[in-house]
Amino acid sequence: MSPREVIEKALAEGRTALTAPEGRQICEAYGIATPGEGLAGSADEAVDISRKIGMPVVLKIVSPDILHKTDAGGVLVGLKTAEEVREGYTTILANARAHDPAARIDGVQVQQLVGGGHEVIVGAVTDPTFGKIVAFGLGGVLVEVLKDVTFRLAPVSGDDALTMLDDIQAAEVLRGARGAEPADRAALAGLIERVGALVDDHPEIVEIDLNPVFASASGAVAADVRILVGEAPAPAERLPREQILAQMTRIFKPRAVAVIGASAEQGKIGNSVMRNLINGGYQGRIFPINPKAADIMGLPAYKSIADVPYDVDVAVFAIPAAFVAPALEEAGKKGVAGAIMIPSGFAETGNADGQREIVEIARRHGVRMLGPNIYGYYYTPENLCATFCTPYDVKGSVALTSQSGGIGMAILGFSRTTKMGVSAIVGVGNKADVDEDDLLTFFEQDDNTSAVAMHLEDLKDGRGFVEAARRVVRRKPVIVLKAGRTAMGARAAGSHTGALAGDDKVYDDILRQAGVVRAPGLNDMLEYARALPLLPAPQGENVVIITGAGGSGVLLSDACVDAGLTLMEIPPDLDEAFRAYIPPFGAAGNPIDITGGEPPSTYENTVRLGLSDARIHALVLGYWHTIVTPPMVFAELIARVVAEERAKGNVKPVVASLAGDTEVEEASEYLFEHGVIAYPYTTEKPVAVLGAKYRWARAAGLLR
Amino acid sequence: MSPREVIEKALAEGRTALTAPEGRQICEAYGIATPGEGLAGSADEAVDISRKIGMPVVLKIVSPDILHKTDAGGVLVGLKTAEEVREGYTTILANARAHDPAARIDGVQVQQLVGGGHEVIVGAVTDPTFGKIVAFGLGGVLVEVLKDVTFRLAPVSGDDALTMLDDIQAAEVLRGARGAEPADRAALAGLIERVGALVDDHPEIVEIDLNPVFASASGAVAADVRILVGEAPAPAERLPREQILAQMTRIFKPRAVAVIGASAEQGKIGNSVMRNLINGGYQGRIFPINPKAADIMGLPAYKSIADVPYDVDVAVFAIPAAFVAPALEEAGKKGVAGAIMIPSGFAETGNADGQREIVEIARRHGVRMLGPNIYGYYYTPENLCATFCTPYDVKGSVALTSQSGGIGMAILGFSRTTKMGVSAIVGVGNKADVDEDDLLTFFEQDDNTSAVAMHLEDLKDGRGFVEAARRVVRRKPVIVLKAGRTAMGARAAGSHTGALAGDDKVYDDILRQAGVVRAPGLNDMLEYARALPLLPAPQGENVVIITGAGGSGVLLSDACVDAGLTLMEIPPDLDEAFRAYIPPFGAAGNPIDITGGEPPSTYENTVRLGLSDARIHALVLGYWHTIVTPPMVFAELIARVVAEERAKGNVKPVVASLAGDTEVEEASEYLFEHGVIAYPYTTEKPVAVLGAKYRWARAAGLLR
């Protein structure tokens, strides 16, 4: 029987768990090694099989009605002689009958006792967000108590499977730490890859648990196989990429916008939206829709969008939830591409039916709906402020999205105060229709956007997101703040692997697999968004710290390790070259401590050397406020040297930490404006930002 | 023989390792259980002993010349019969002779084979910073690969030993995770306590390793004992507390200050110090010392401090390193209490001899020296700015110290820009004499100081620091930024001050044991320092989040978990009470989501309830900028409600995260000034600060 036939048979019999022989059969079909074994229907047969596969053996009851074999006294381990096997068979059968007299008993599985090497767990589960995911960890305490496990989307390529072996904390163990035998990595990765293929090919496999797998120098053998089956989940509905792009382009670059519920009355959302569209400088047509007004803010108003005598791309809704459905129906008939659904009062207040209704209307008309329950959206290249907030005016190249209005407001305030250059700010709210995948599809090819930052609490279609993110990441960084990090996923655990798949670890591993830069908190997301588009991409891993304050050097080194950066081992000739510029009691090496009280020339010489030597790929500067080199002197000097070297083709990311009196604030701002990511009073932030840029550069394959 | 006699005998014989029987003898004297055993001089004796203690047994060669017994074929495990023991004895002896024909062989140790329960490691080492420290971890991969180990200063109380069992990541294992037998916690803690007592009583024990210890439900047995001995380290020199206090009080509250190297010339350090003393408003006498000037800045100058016709408490040195020694000699003769040694050019530039010389002079005269290589110090209650930086004027109650000048400047700039209220800023530089212990001793009893924050790269006397910190922590928080946390960071510390950077895990555990709040980075230290004195101490662990933005609520919850805070399980009656104030689609529970767009009264009602219900101990507020409740309305309202409830005796820490347009910056500042720790654009910072306050409150015993 093929795996599919095995599964179908089990499902036809109303079973959700496959028997051990069934599991083994499926494994064999996928080249997943299992111990030699056979199914014995009698004590004699058990002895015969034992002799054939070699003793010692393990005996296990085979019954579809006994799931927890050990509890039923249905497992005996390490039987070494024919006599022991014979007695064991009888004992197990008696135990099973005592445990459940009604249980159907298919026989006793006789299995070669394997061992040696490392006990690992390989499994797969069906995640509600990401679908089939594969898990790997070391057996026992490490996985079960320390949760030292790693996940990937299925299917898993051989290369990805190899990265899983290194992604657990105890990775060294498999490499032979403490004198242990190193595992055959290729064999183990191969087994992981096969499990991924198996669940990818068979969506009816709800969970699979190979526990333990004995991974030794000579291979990987799954000593126990447990497979749960069920109905295959419905595949996510996805529109073709070209269609999404066409819709999103009409939404972000509309020729005409209608405001449904436009109002002349200050304080009303329909008034704020009108004012923002007009004052924001939007150059397309604006059509206020209001059954009771002839004109609003100097523009002719229409009773219904149906009355507008032009094509309309976007309808912004600024009316109460109760009136949305008929208005959306009309907008749909009018042929709008996007419905910007500002109103609240839908799923977030328990009105799931109302939300379903408008989704259905939108879908019927091919309208893409943003929201409901949002602040609207900005797209600065078109001077488009379709929101009830205030216009935003610092154009730039980062696109931000948020699932929450509060976070959207924080994005707006932060952008304004830090002069962060923004291409778009988009509220996605309830995500009844348009979600992050759609937005990524637009931003991917949007030349006005060079980085994307997204606040999200969940993903409607995790795989769709990963696919879109992977494409975007090849060209520009995608930063994600995933809220609800620490909420433990309350999920029915049918297996070890299922129990391990706590929400956040799955998100964390899979977002990383997608190449996304995950921000640990809100402020980090905002700072990454602000800084990443300004920093050039590094060309290699060699980071060098140049500092005027030894104390900052130590903290900057700490921060580099925290950020996963590599402090370059300075080769002797380069060390010599740096030493020529710094006082004899300064420290070369890395950090390069130029010592306090040095004149601007010392900063200039060392930074220039750092930028021009091709072996160095990124600089972290530590500035110490002195009267010899005041803050603005430092800032102007560094900005000039960086620009000069850039003009010569020495394009490297440079970040700086400024320690000093309050003048360092102005100096930091000046540096930021000149493409050097600088912060006062912190050694952590500039390095964290550089670390984020590196994470992206690695994911984009720029450092290979 | 007593343990001391055993150790002395070994040392007398020129040995650094004790034999197994010696180790066992010492363990027995301290009530540390070891397996039944005996020393056999013949095969017959080995059989006799085996029969007495019970088989199976382990045989081990006993020879002072064979350290690695296994390599020498000197260990046989699991001998079950008299015959096996007899043969084993002969084999071991033959192996040992083959390994080293010259080795002195004292016999063969016959040891009961123990096992079962959990394999743990208990040990003690001599740390260069902290002296004897005790280590505990689970055996095997957990300790050796994952470094899952915890440290305490020896001796360790029984209570502290119990906390060690919970301080490892795999703590659950000992409690019986995965169906394992729970360990006898009291027995295991007792064993740890005894090891601590043993090394505390015998400083000659350099290292002791009980590995493995079998910790089962019935006790804890050290299966293998390894003890290394050597010369006892010299005890740290410490002055009596009263003497330190008298000295420090003269330094921080001097009646007269001399400036050695005072200068009228702008740009000179001796000029900056004079200006800062005068402009800072210091009311004591100021004596400029300069052999070439009659008066400086209107004050009569003296050729030498010896010529000053008054008592002088503090001499600030602003002269090159080469001239320091004779000037310090004169200051010593004059009877100053403190020498503020600004000059660099000592140990940090390799001039260790010069540093030793001035330390010797200071000690000879009973002068306490701050530095050398520092920016000086501030003590705002006396308007004392004995530094070459600028005067600092926002008086307050946090005292900050830094080992690095750069970090000192960052403290200054941050303080000024955030209006952080400061009592003292002190540079400790090379710490040739005065160190953190001395400063803590002063700040402990200084009523002008309510919190202490220290940047440090090393500790001269780790135990002295812990003792001082423990005393201070009972009354006020001590925040520590320990630089050189990571391996790379530690390397930089080495190059900066020649400091020996200890393993960070040791620092981390022992600082925590001392009750210190460790800040992960520079900016965190500064924010904790700024906020902790303003926040009242919590009375219990129940934290409640009240938020206007659901999105912030999720992020604030994440932050609470990260900060080790407990989100209160809201009892039904309280839930009911909150629900009465919020819209039906809002969420009670915790976070309490009052929903966006609510009027000020909703914030007021819920926050007042949170402050007045005695079961709630701290509030985290999430604000969402709306036109219904603008930022300053929210800020004034919260400040008023908090003040009113405080007046009624409802004194609780309240922190807030403000999401909104730029007006939230002003609102955050207003709240901060009114004792509500508020930040814009971040959900992490306010919660991290509350977490730091909680860590202190727990250490101070306020939450028990």
Side-chain angles (χ1 to χ4, degrees), chain B residues 395-528:
Chain B
K395 290 185 188 183
S397 70
V398 61
L400 300 108
T401 76
S402 80
Q403 194 164 344
S404 138
I407 305 309
M409 286 301 297
I411 291 173
L412 196 67
F414 177 89
S415 303
R416 210 186 295 280
T417 200
T418 63
K419 305 191 191 78
M420 168 160 80
V422 160
S423 63
I425 302 177
V426 184
V428 296
N430 295 5
K431 296 199 280 198
D433 176 29
V434 170
D435 69 1
E436 287 83 1
D437 322 2
D438 299 302
L439 299 174
L440 282 174
T441 301
F442 175 75
F443 295 135
E444 178 192 2
Q445 55 74 58
D446 177 29
D447 290 336
N448 297 309
T449 296
S450 71
V452 183
M454 300 182 141
H455 157 263
L456 52 94
E457 293 179 352
D458 61 3
L459 287 170
K460 271 168 35 187
D461 172 8
R463 283 190 173 244
F465 179 84
V466 169
E467 277 176 27
R470 275 185 174 150
R471 284 199 319 266
V472 180
V473 163
R474 282 198 288 269
R475 301 172 59 183
K476 38 193 108 168
V478 176
I479 300 150
V480 165
L481 170 62
K482 165 68 176 73
R485 268 189 303 118
T486 56
M488 282 190 204
R491 194 172 56 171
S495 71
H496 178 41
T497 57
L500 209 162
D503 182 274
D504 190 64
K505 181 68 177 133
V506 172
Y507 262 99
D508 201 57
D509 285 343
I510 292 177
L511 289 180
R512 194 154 28 83
Q513 196 188 354
V516 155
V517 176
R518 190 166 179 187
L522 172 59
N523 200 255
D524 308 271
M525 177 186 83
L526 295 169
E527 293 292 359
Y528 295 176

Side-chain angles (χ1 to χ4, degrees), chain A residues 4 7 15 25 45 62 88 114 118 191 215 218 249 275 301 407 418 453 473 497 556 566 581 624-625 642:
Chain A
R4 175 148 327 274
I7 293 165
R15 287 188 282 136
Q25 202 174 345
E45 253 188 285
V62 178
V114 288
H118 308 277
L191 187 145
S218 55
T249 302
R275 271 193 294 123
I407 304 308
T418 63
V473 162
T497 308
L556 290 168
T566 306
Y581 294 128
W624 181 9
H625 188 160
V642 167

Side-chain angles (χ1 to χ4, degrees), chain A residues 142 144 178 390 406 409 413-414 416-417 457 484-486 521-523 554 558 562 585 624 659-661 665 681 684, chain B residues 144 146 178 349 390 406 409 413 416-417 484-486 489 521-523 551 554 558 562 624 659-661 665 681 684:
Chain A
L142 288 164
E144 291 178 38
R178 306 177 56 236
T390 42
M409 285 303 296
F414 177 89
R416 212 187 293 282
T417 201
E457 293 178 352
R485 266 188 305 118
T486 49
L522 173 58
N523 200 256
V554 182
D558 282 350
D562 287 346
F585 53 89
W624 181 9
D661 210 336
E665 296 174 28
Y681 320 130
E684 302 80 47
Chain B
E144 292 178 39
L146 298 187
R178 308 176 55 234
T349 62
T390 42
M409 286 301 297
R416 210 186 295 280
T417 200
R485 268 189 303 118
T486 56
L522 172 59
N523 200 255
V554 181
D558 282 350
D562 287 345
W624 181 9
D661 210 334
E665 295 173 29
Y681 320 130
E684 301 82 46

Side-chain angles (χ1 to χ4, degrees), chain A residues 246-258 282 284-287 305 308 310-317 331-332 334-340 366-369 377 382 384:
Chain A
Q247 294 165 331
M248 291 300 130
T249 302
R250 277 185 71 198
I251 293 175
F252 280 99
K253 299 175 174 179
R255 287 153 308 162
V257 174
Y282 173 60
R285 291 172 187 274
I286 303 170
F287 303 113
I305 193 170
V308 174
Y310 298 92
D311 284 348
V312 177
D313 295 302
V314 166
V316 183
F317 286 72
K334 179 72 186 169
V336 305
I340 310 308
V367 174
R368 300 306 307 272
M369 181 170 69
Y377 73 123
E382 300 285 325
L384 180 66

Side-chain angles (χ1 to χ4, degrees), chain B residues 9-272:
Chain B
K9 176 167 172 286
L11 289 172
E13 291 173 14
R15 287 188 284 134
T16 55
L18 301 190
T19 63
E22 285 171 341
R24 181 188 152 91
Q25 201 174 346
I26 286 179
C27 283
E28 266 173 17
Y30 272 77
I32 296 165
T34 55
E37 67 157 23
L39 183 66
S42 69
D44 281 345
E45 252 188 286
V47 171
D48 283 351
I49 295 166
S50 300
R51 286 195 172 120
K52 206 166 65 200
I53 63 179
M55 282 175 266
V57 296
V58 181
L59 300 187
K60 292 180 190 169
I61 195 75
V62 178
S63 162
D65 303 317
I66 301 179
L67 253 183
H68 297 286
K69 297 189 278 276
T70 308
D71 296 351
V75 179
L76 287 175
V77 177
L79 310 180
K80 295 199 200 83
T81 65
E83 206 39 55
E84 285 179 14
V85 170
R86 192 179 304 280
E87 271 175 39
Y89 183 92
T90 318
T91 308
I92 277 190
L93 242 64
N95 288 349
R97 293 218 172 95
H99 178 77
D100 179 0
R104 187 182 101 196
I105 290 172
D106 294 341
V108 169
Q109 192 185 20
V110 183
Q111 198 175 54
Q112 181 192 0
L113 181 65
V114 288
H118 308 277
E119 280 191 40
V120 306
I121 296 179
V122 178
V125 293
T126 310
D127 181 84
T129 301
F130 294 105
K132 304 297 175 196
I133 59 175
V134 177
F136 167 74
L138 284 190
V141 170
L142 289 163
V143 157
E144 292 178 39
V145 176
L146 298 187
K147 317 287 183 214
D148 186 16
V149 64
T150 185
F151 298 94
R152 294 290 185 283
L153 284 185
V156 184
S157 73
D159 280 352
D160 256 350
L162 276 171
T163 68
M164 292 180 81
L165 306 189
D166 282 328
D167 251 15
I168 56 171
Q169 284 181 63
E172 273 181 59
V173 172
L174 294 175
R175 293 195 178 272
R178 308 176 55 234
E181 174 185 281
D184 178 340
R185 300 174 69 78
L188 187 50
L191 187 145
I192 294 170
E193 189 180 357
R194 289 183 184 100
V195 169
L198 170 60
V199 294
D200 189 51
D201 293 346
H202 301 89
E204 305 86 353
I205 297 182
V206 174
E207 222 177 293
I208 174 168
D209 231 358
L210 309 183
N211 181 15
V213 171
F214 289 98
S216 68
S218 55
V221 180
D224 201 45
V225 178
R226 188 171 147 76
I227 297 178
L228 299 180
V229 292
E231 207 179 319
E237 288 172 39
R238 289 189 206 142
L239 298 171
R241 183 170 166 280
E242 288 312 311
Q243 187 181 337
I244 296 172
L245 197 51
Q247 293 164 331
M248 291 299 132
T249 302
R250 277 185 70 199
I251 292 174
F252 280 99
K253 301 175 174 180
R255 290 154 303 162
V257 175
V259 179
I260 298 179
S263 167
E265 189 181 333
Q266 284 252 354
K268 294 236 169 195
I269 285 178
N271 176 261
S272 300

